Structures are given as C-alpha cells and as structure tokens.
Amino acid sequence: MNDFWQDYRSAGFFDELFDDQGNPRLSARSLIHQLGDLGRSELLDRRVAADLSIKSMGITFTVYSDAGMIDRAWPFDVLPRTIGESEWMRVREGLIQRVTALNMFIADIYGDQAIIADGVFPREVLDQSVNFRPECVGVRPPGDIWAHICGSDLVRDGKGDFYVLEDNLRVPSGVSYMVENRLVSKRVFPELFQQHTILPVDDYASELLDALNALSPRKDVTPNVALLTPGVYNSAFFEHVWLAGQMGAELVQGSDLYVDSNDCVYARTIFGPQRVDVIYRRVDDAFIDPEAFRADSMLGTPGLMRAWRSGNVAIANAPGAGVADDKVVYAFVPDIIRYYLGEEIKLPNVPSYLCMDPEQRAYVLDNLDQLVIKPANESGGYGMLIGPRASEAERAQFAELIQRNPRNYIAQPTLDLSTAPTLIDGRAAPRHVDLRPFIVSRPEGPGFVTMGGLTRVALREGSLVVNSSQGGGSKDTWIVQDDATEGAA
Amino acid sequence: MLSRLAQNLFWAGRYLERAESSARLINATTLLLLDLPRQTEFDWRALVEIVGADDLFGERYPDGSETSVMRFLAVDRAHPGSIASSVAMARENLRSARDLIPREVWEEINGLHLFMADEGQQIERRLSRSRVMDRVVRTTRLTSGQIESGMSRDAAYDMLALGLSIERADMTTRIIDVRSSDLLTDDHSDLLPYQTVQWISVLKSLSAFQMYRRHVRSRVSGPAVVRFLLSDLAFPRSARFCLYQAQTRLGRLPAPGACADQLQNAISVLSDADFNQLSGHRLSEFLDRMQIELARFNDALRVRYFQL
C-alpha cells in the first residue's frame, strides 16, 4: 500500500473499498493499487482534468436561488466506487422483485383493490394519499405497467447489507449523470479501464426507447416518442435534453402539444401537426393536464388525460403511478411483495415506523433524538428531520407536525451509511454514499436494471445528505467482473 | 421539427453569426487604426452605429472612448447585441435544441460563453484584444465546420443555416452602410491617401480582401468594394450570395409560401440595383431598403413557422 492510502480509515462504518482490517475489498483491489501508484499529485491533476471535462462537456444541473437560475457544474468525485458483479446480481434480482410487485400494486389500486379487500393494505392509507389520482381508476395501460421507470435509493448499513431507502416512481432523475460520470472517468483514467473488466452502463437509453416504443397504441407505424419537459428552468433539464438526444425522441414542452377533438395528441411542427404516440413525461402528473388536474399549470397540455384514457397515447410513467411513491406505502412493500408474488422480500426495507399507528407514533415521539423523520411525499431530502443532529426546538416542531398530521410521516432509525474514499483537499477521506439504480419495466419481457447506478456522496464530513441540490457529489460506479478482479489481484 | 425549436435554431444561427461578425469588425477596425496617422481623431462610436445601438450606448456610457465602445460591443450583457450577449443567446437557444445539434457544437459554444465571461474583459487592452476576438472567430468557424460536416441535412440544419445566411447578409449591409458614410470625423482632405486603407479594412472585416483581389482585379475603390460585397455571385459573404443560400435552405422547408415571396423581393432589390448610380445618400437609401426587406422576411418566417 502506498502513501496515498496510508492514512485512510473509515472507523465504525462499512467502507465500500476497504474492509475492517484496512485491506482493499476484492472488487477494489486492483483499483486501489493503481490509484496508489498514480499518487497524490497525479490524482490531483486528473481531478482538474475531470472538472475541465465536466465544464466543457456542459454537464450541469440547475439550482434556483435569489439571483435566479444558475447552472452549476455537476459535482463529481474522481475516485470510483466498486461493487462485485455477483453481489450486484443479487441486488438486481431484489430490485426486479420489488418493482414487479409495485406495478401489480398500482394496477390493483386503480382496478379491483383486492389488496384492500383482503385486509393487507389499509383503506385509510389510500384515502389520505395525495398521489392517488381518482381520474386514473379503471384505466388499463399496456401490460398493466404503470411505473415504467423506477429509481430506487439503496444504502448499506454498518454490516454492509444493502437496504432500499425509497422508491421513486414519479419522475426519477439522475440516469444521465450515471452515464456521463462514466464518460468522464474514461477520459481521465483511460489506463484503469484497460486493467479492469468494468461492466458498461451506456445501454440505458436504448433499453428505455425499446420499452417506450412497446407502449405505442399504433402498431402499424414507427411510434413517435416525445419527452415532455417542464423546460429549461427545471433542475433536471440537462437530463431531459440528454435522454431525448440519446433516444432520438422529440423534446417537447406542454405548449408544443395539443389534443384534438378525437382525443389524439399532436405536436406543433413546421410540417404541420404530427401525431404523438408515446410521452415520456418528466413533469409531475399534477401538472400534465390543466383540464384534469391543476388548472393553473402552465406546463401541461389540456386534454392529455382524455387522450390517455382513450388509449390514444401512452404516458410513462403512467399518471397516478406516484401512489406507490409514498413513504407510508413504502413501509408496506414487504407485505405487498408477499401478497402479489408469494415471495419474501429479497432486498430489505429499512425498518420503518408509521406515525399513523398510535403505538408506533408513541415510540417515535419518545425517540425523536434517535430517528430520522420523513414526510410521506417529499423528495430531494426536503422536510426531513435527522433526530440526532437536530436541535431541541426542531424536534419539538416535528413532534407537533407529526401529531397534527400523523399519516404524513414515517420514522426510521438512523443508519450507519457506508462510506467510500473521496478526494477531499488532496487526500482520500471517508464520505457517506448511497446508490440509485434505475429499473425499466415493459409490458412484455423481463425488466431492465442499470449496471450499478448513480452513486451520490455527501461531501461534508459526517454528513448524510447526498442530494446534489444540497451540496452532494457523485461518483462513477463500477460493477467489476468477479473473475477479472481475482485475476488482477 | 417543433415550431418552437425551429425558432430556437434560426435565432441560434443569427446570434452565432452576429458574434462572429462583431469580432471580425472589431479586429479589422483596431488594425485599421494602426495604419492611420497618429493625430487622427477616430470616432469609435461608428462601430456602435453599425450595430444600431446608439441610444443604449449613450445611456450607459459617458464617453465614446475606445474602452467604452469595446466594453459595450464585446462584454456588456446589458447590450443585447454585444458578443457576450450574442454568444449567451445562441447558447440559450441551443440549450433547448441541444438534442438536435452535434454535441461538439454545444460544447464549443458553451466553452466560448464561459470564456467570454472569464476573459472577455481583456478586450479593453489592444494587446490582448485580438487574442480574444480570434477566439470568438475561431470557435464560430469551428462550429460552422462541425455543423456542415456533422449535421444531417434536415429541417434543423436548414433553420440554423437560414439564420446564419440572413444574419450574414444583414451584417454585410450594415457594415457597408456605416463605412461608406465614413469612419473619420476630421476634415477628410488630409486623409485622402488613407481612403484605400479604409476600404481595405472594410473588406478585411468581412474576410473579403483576398477574394476581392483575386476576382475584381482592379485597385480597391469605394464603388467596386460596395458592388463586390453586395452583389458578387461567388463570394460567400456578399449579401446576394447569402440571400441565394437562404433561398436554397428555405426551398427545402415545407410550404414556404409568403416567406419565399418576401425573400425574392429582397433578392430582386439587389439584382435590379444599378451600382454605378449608388453612392452617397442613394447608397444609404438603398441599404435602408435592404434592411426593411430583410426585416419583412423575418416577420414572414415568424408567421409561417414559429407561431403556430
């Protein structure tokens, strides 16, 4: 082991690259040696090169501030995070199991609601769900798939076991950064890629396009696929452009589309109206159709829901899919899997306390200083309380919020999130990471899971907040072929 | 091709060409100055006049010094026609249409945008000015090359190329307009020997000097230069050449109708011109007429393709 790694310790946490004795893990062994051989100053040069690439490739995300909209360079840490292939394959199975069951759940909720009739899922949870859309009841999208694209957030605990922290079934983002991170890595560390067998990540867009094409209501023509974006001010606009470009889909805004009296969707083009068959929407469903949902929405197209219900256009993810993207529903996922698939959950949930249950609520209120409190329907890490780090006043405020609206909160124990070495001030320092793989489901054939996913890293020491809007960074994630690792070791 | 994106691409083309033309103009003017006698009172405000922003300039700057004019033309983001603004607007327009253009084009424009923000200030010093302007010209040339060699000849290409051609024709007429009414404020008699130098500078600001020499083969004189820059059929920056280019692009777009008629009007004005009669105020009126025809063409495009 050489100088660069000499002081690296991640005491008390599971580290992605080093075991408890400080030896490189199998999947990282050759990476650790090569990075060590490059040495500190060379790594710093590579870091500069990576920053330059990101700037010149225009990989950005957008943040709002008082000063208006700002494009920030995508934050990237050059040290990759590795996972062995066989371990990943097990995770993959767990993800497919999960998304399969969630799709069956959504279809059931908008159909017969058998799971409620059978007493497995409480009606009152559904009644209070803000993402349940009565407008979708009775609709049967192709193959009964509602959540075509899912981004699930995974974390490891202190023992190194993977847990699912949440499922994003509305408009999960980040996949473009997963692919771009790999591109940057290849630019700055070409030699590392010669020495490893790292499984490729760049087939995502083709898989997604296949899945979207398969949804087209018109089987006799090549489908016209459009990606519906809220526009350049959206924080994920970079990704919308990226995906449209990679798929050869038209990137549209709500005002580019209209629905005619036969409930068909058309794009306004210089050639005249062009029929749209499939819409990959990156607009929250509350905004896609001012006729059906929020009348004040400037982002949607009036009549889109009519067209969808008539089966003249496919929408992915289907409107209403967010009903399963709720932290209270999350707590029921083990039951949901057992109910629909007759299987035990393969990729466990983080233990969750439902504040709607009086006993569990009492426990939560007594133990606020040890728990993480999450609102049921927020994303991006907003509206959370991290008990051990919060002040007395903040805890009191959350106690009140929970009592006022118990259905809206769940609590989870704070996890000892795993760490990965991250280049901070010229040294490798342990920082907490999570992982967001993406799962694509289609009417026929098996689901697709990205090879790895987007690793997000909390750049501040000890911090658990990985969201890029709140100072998180990212890493390239390598699924390393097992036999190749052994060969190189 | 979505109407909204068609509009984005057309304007991206215009802004890119505008940035390039402005950079050439600044470079050529700075070089011209080195040739003129030291005591010459050079009015930098003539450059502001070319871009038609006299009022805004007057509001924002107390004097017509070289520094003020350079700042205004190159880096002032409050001036929508400055190079920095043009690049930023090209970038904004291309941002929505990023999936339609070669990735390298976006990267180059993005890089140029960052460069202007970081280093554009250096334009105030003559020493670093040409370096900054060269960067602008080189980047826009490079992206043109990437567009020409990397972009399928589809409606996206036609819109972008249409914007480039129209802006180029527009800039050529503007430059002639201001330059023909003279850049020099002093009594001209003592500067007569420098008239040739000035006209050479006009040619150079359009990168036309070399081709003029090859094809006109008479000494550089005002009327010959005006004729060459307006109506030469072989030189790619002549107004007429640009309009024919635009006509080709337009012909490939669906049902150009009134747009095609309006463009033909502009071309006819050029073809029917008697260049022997065009000097002084007649030339000025003629160029105004051209400007009006081009503005009408812009309107026709908007109605036909952009506002559906």
Side-chain angles (χ1 to χ4, degrees):
Chain A
M1 191 89 40
N2 90 26
D3 282 1
F4 181 71
W5 297 113
Q6 210 164 36
D7 303 328
Y8 185 78
R9 294 283 177 279
S10 181
F13 299 104
F14 180 92
D15 191 82
E16 297 288 336
L17 301 195
F18 289 92
D19 65 21
D20 293 346
Q21 280 74 50
N23 297 315
R25 294 188 188 281
L26 191 57
S27 67
R29 201 174 285 172
S30 122
L31 172 70
I32 293 293
H33 284 286
Q34 283 186 304
L35 290 176
D37 287 347
L38 284 176
R40 187 169 173 228
S41 74
E42 182 65 28
L43 276 173
L44 286 178
D45 286 352
R46 304 290 175 102
R47 185 209 169 123
V48 171
D51 288 348
L52 262 177
S53 296
I54 286 167
K55 225 176 159 187
S56 73
M57 288 156 78
I59 310 174
T60 58
F61 71 106
T62 309
V63 286
Y64 305 99
S65 74
D66 300 337
M69 176 192 75
I70 308 168
D71 269 349
R72 288 225 186 114
W74 175 246
F76 174 72
D77 179 67
V78 292
L79 306 180
R81 178 246 191 114
T82 61
I83 299 172
E85 186 188 8
S86 56
E87 181 179 23
W88 181 248
M89 289 307 153
R90 287 193 300 276
V91 172
R92 198 167 161 264
E93 261 181 58
L95 288 168
I96 292 199
Q97 179 198 47
R98 201 172 172 93
V99 173
T100 306
L102 284 171
N103 267 305
M104 293 170 81
F105 169 74
I106 304 168
D108 188 16
I109 286 296
Y110 289 114
D112 303 336
Q113 303 196 335
I115 193 168
I116 296 177
D118 289 336
V120 176
F121 187 78
R123 171 161 299 280
E124 62 264 32
V125 174
L126 185 62
D127 288 344
Q128 292 176 44
S129 164
V130 294
N131 291 319
F132 175 72
R133 308 258 176 250
E135 297 84 351
C136 301
V137 170
V139 179
R140 299 282 304 268
D144 283 328
I145 301 290
W146 291 69
H148 308 87
I149 299 106
C150 171
S152 293
D153 291 344
L154 307 184
V155 293
R156 286 202 217 241
D157 68 354
K159 283 189 292 213
D161 293 326
F162 272 113
Y163 287 85
V164 177
L165 200 57
E166 60 183 62
D167 304 294
N168 297 282
L169 299 170
R170 282 174 285 181
V171 282
S173 62
V175 75
S176 60
Y177 300 113
M178 171 189 85
V179 178
E180 293 290 300
N181 281 356
R182 176 61 53 85
L183 229 65
V184 174
S185 275
K186 284 182 182 167
R187 275 198 194 187
V188 298
F189 290 128
E191 63 271 59
L192 298 186
F193 284 81
Q194 279 164 6
Q195 303 293 325
H196 289 77
T197 305
I198 302 156
L199 297 173
V201 295
D202 45 17
D203 49 354
Y204 178 79
S206 324
E207 291 289 339
L208 178 60
L209 181 62
D210 282 352
L212 294 172
N213 277 334
L215 303 176
S216 174
R218 291 193 297 170
K219 299 296 175 200
D220 50 334
V221 294
T222 309
N224 289 320
V225 177
L227 190 152
L228 178 63
T229 173
V232 293
Y233 299 105
N234 186 268
S235 60
F237 185 70
F238 169 84
E239 176 153 304
H240 304 163
V241 172
W242 188 91
L243 280 169
Q246 296 278 313
M247 293 192 295
E250 196 80 70
L251 183 64
V252 303
Q253 300 178 4
S255 57
D256 295 324
L257 303 178
Y258 70 90
V259 179
D260 73 355
S261 52
N262 295 319
D263 294 346
C264 291
V265 183
Y266 294 91
R268 299 172 212 272
T269 81
I270 59 170
F271 303 99
Q274 186 188 40
R275 174 92 184 257
V276 174
D277 302 292
V278 182
I279 297 175
Y280 175 27
R281 52 114 181 167
R282 294 295 297 258
V283 175
D284 198 76
D285 54 16
F287 293 92
I288 57 172
D289 182 356
E291 213 176 88
F293 303 119
R294 291 185 56 155
D296 61 340
S297 170
M298 306 291 285
L299 305 174
T301 307
L304 208 51
M305 283 296 287
R306 260 193 287 133
W308 178 66
R309 277 198 298 257
S310 314
N312 292 330
V313 70
I315 300 180
N317 287 352
V323 68
D325 182 344
D326 174 312
K327 295 194 175 59
V328 176
V329 174
Y330 162 89
F332 285 92
V333 170
D335 304 314
I336 289 174
I337 290 175
R338 209 173 298 119
Y339 179 75
Y340 292 108
L341 301 176
E343 298 171 2
E344 286 307 304
I345 191 166
K346 293 177 182 167
L347 198 55
N349 266 8
V350 177
S352 303
Y353 304 96
L354 293 169
C355 295
M356 58 185 284
D357 178 281
E359 261 174 55
Q360 297 184 38
R361 178 165 67 241
Y363 174 83
V364 170
L365 291 171
D366 286 344
N367 293 280
L368 275 179
D369 56 341
Q370 289 165 41
L371 296 169
V372 179
I373 314 296
K374 294 176 172 178
N377 294 304
E378 286 284 340
S379 59
Y382 292 102
M384 273 173 50
L385 177 86
I386 299 179
R389 310 253 169 106
S391 67
E392 199 59 49
E394 286 168 323
R395 286 201 289 264
Q397 186 206 344
F398 262 76
E400 204 192 314
L401 285 172
I402 290 170
Q403 276 158 333
R404 208 183 308 148
N405 188 2
R407 159 67 177 84
N408 199 38
Y409 293 93
I410 65 157
Q412 292 171 340
T414 48
L415 292 178
D416 295 329
L417 248 54
S418 64
T419 60
T422 302
L423 201 56
I424 304 280
D425 297 332
R427 292 173 192 288
R431 289 293 183 269
H432 294 295
V433 293
D434 78 351
L435 178 65
R436 177 180 285 186
F438 296 84
I439 306 99
V440 178
S441 309
R442 52 187 132 203
E444 280 156 37
F448 168 82
V449 181
T450 49
M451 209 40 92
L454 177 66
T455 291
R456 297 182 299 176
V457 51
L459 294 174
R460 268 185 304 124
E461 189 170 3
S463 168
L464 299 173
V465 181
V466 296
N467 306 81
S468 50
S469 52
Q470 298 188 47
S474 71
K475 285 171 165 293
D476 189 13
T477 310
W478 290 5
I479 304 301
V480 182
Q481 225 168 50
D482 297 324
D483 52 351
T485 8
E486 278 163 43
Chain B
M1 160 107 301
L2 292 172
S3 296
R4 177 175 51 83
L5 296 179
Q7 185 169 18
N8 286 145
L9 286 166
F10 176 75
W11 281 103
R14 289 205 70 155
Y15 284 119
L16 278 181
E17 181 62 29
R18 195 171 294 175
E20 181 182 343
S21 309
S22 306
R24 285 177 191 281
L25 185 64
I26 289 172
N27 247 354
T29 312
T30 305
L31 288 173
L32 165 69
L33 215 64
L34 302 179
D35 283 336
L36 295 179
R38 275 201 312 185
Q39 67 277 21
T40 314
E41 280 288 319
F42 184 82
D43 190 354
W44 284 92
R45 264 177 301 208
L47 293 185
V48 176
E49 216 180 297
I50 291 181
V51 297
D54 321 37
D55 293 345
L56 181 64
F57 180 78
E59 280 167 30
R60 293 187 47 78
Y61 295 88
D63 58 48
S65 69
E66 181 174 350
T67 310
S68 299
V69 172
M70 283 302 125
R71 218 178 270 170
F72 182 72
L73 290 179
V75 292
D76 191 343
R77 288 293 301 275
H79 170 214
S82 72
I83 295 178
S85 295
S86 298
V87 173
M89 290 302 291
R91 177 173 174 271
E92 273 314 296
N93 277 288
L94 288 177
R95 185 213 281 276
S96 315
R98 233 170 122 171
D99 54 327
L100 300 178
I101 52 163
R103 180 176 180 149
E104 300 91 336
V105 172
W106 167 260
E107 289 180 15
E108 288 296 336
I109 303 298
N110 190 44
L112 182 61
H113 171 71
L114 298 170
F115 171 81
M116 286 306 291
D118 293 345
E119 295 181 48
Q121 296 294 342
Q122 295 182 19
I123 190 155
E124 290 169 23
R125 289 166 50 232
R126 284 190 194 173
L127 189 64
S128 43
R129 184 178 303 160
S130 69
R131 190 179 68 81
V132 176
M133 292 301 95
D134 283 349
R135 168 74 196 262
V136 175
V137 174
R138 249 186 306 121
T139 306
T140 46
R141 290 289 79 217
L142 183 58
T143 53
S144 291
Q146 284 159 342
I147 290 165
E148 284 303 311
S149 61
M151 213 170 152
S152 292
R153 294 320 193 240
D154 53 11
Y157 172 85
D158 289 325
M159 275 296 170
L160 193 55
L162 189 60
L164 287 168
S165 301
I166 294 297
E167 181 67 24
R168 200 175 273 183
D170 187 72
M171 264 320 250
T172 301
T173 56
R174 281 170 190 274
I175 288 174
I176 296 169
D177 196 7
V178 174
R179 286 304 189 81
S180 59
S181 61
D182 263 319
L183 276 172
L184 305 169
T185 52
D186 261 10
D187 171 13
H188 298 177
S189 54
D190 57 329
L191 287 170
L192 272 180
Y194 295 98
Q195 282 226 328
T196 306
V197 182
Q198 283 194 68
W199 283 112
I200 289 176
S201 149
V202 171
L203 287 169
K204 281 186 173 165
S205 59
L206 291 161
S207 296
F209 185 46
Q210 210 185 339
M211 291 300 134
Y212 176 91
R213 275 273 171 79
R214 265 172 59 85
H215 294 285
V216 180
R217 300 211 210 141
S218 68
R219 61 164 292 133
V220 174
S221 70
V225 169
V226 169
R227 179 198 295 262
F228 180 75
L229 290 180
L230 285 179
S231 76
D232 191 82
L233 282 173
F235 180 64
R237 281 179 191 278
S238 89
R240 199 161 162 204
F241 187 99
C242 294
L243 293 184
Y244 279 130
Q245 284 288 100
Q247 201 169 39
T248 309
R249 303 270 68 92
L250 186 66
R252 292 167 36 89
L253 291 169
C259 303
D261 297 343
Q262 185 49 48
L263 187 54
Q264 187 53 53
N265 288 348
I267 292 173
S268 302
V269 171
L270 272 179
S271 316
D272 298 346
D274 179 353
F275 286 94
N276 297 319
Q277 303 293 318
L278 284 186
S279 62
H281 74 277
R282 281 216 199 85
L283 177 60
S284 199
E285 278 167 24
F286 176 82
L287 294 167
D288 286 348
R289 171 91 195 278
M290 281 302 301
Q291 286 283 317
I292 291 168
E293 296 294 342
L294 291 176
R296 283 187 183 149
F297 174 63
N298 240 3
D299 288 342
L301 276 182
R302 198 181 65 234
V303 171
R304 166 63 189 89
Y305 294 113
F306 305 153
Q307 285 181 339
L308 295 181

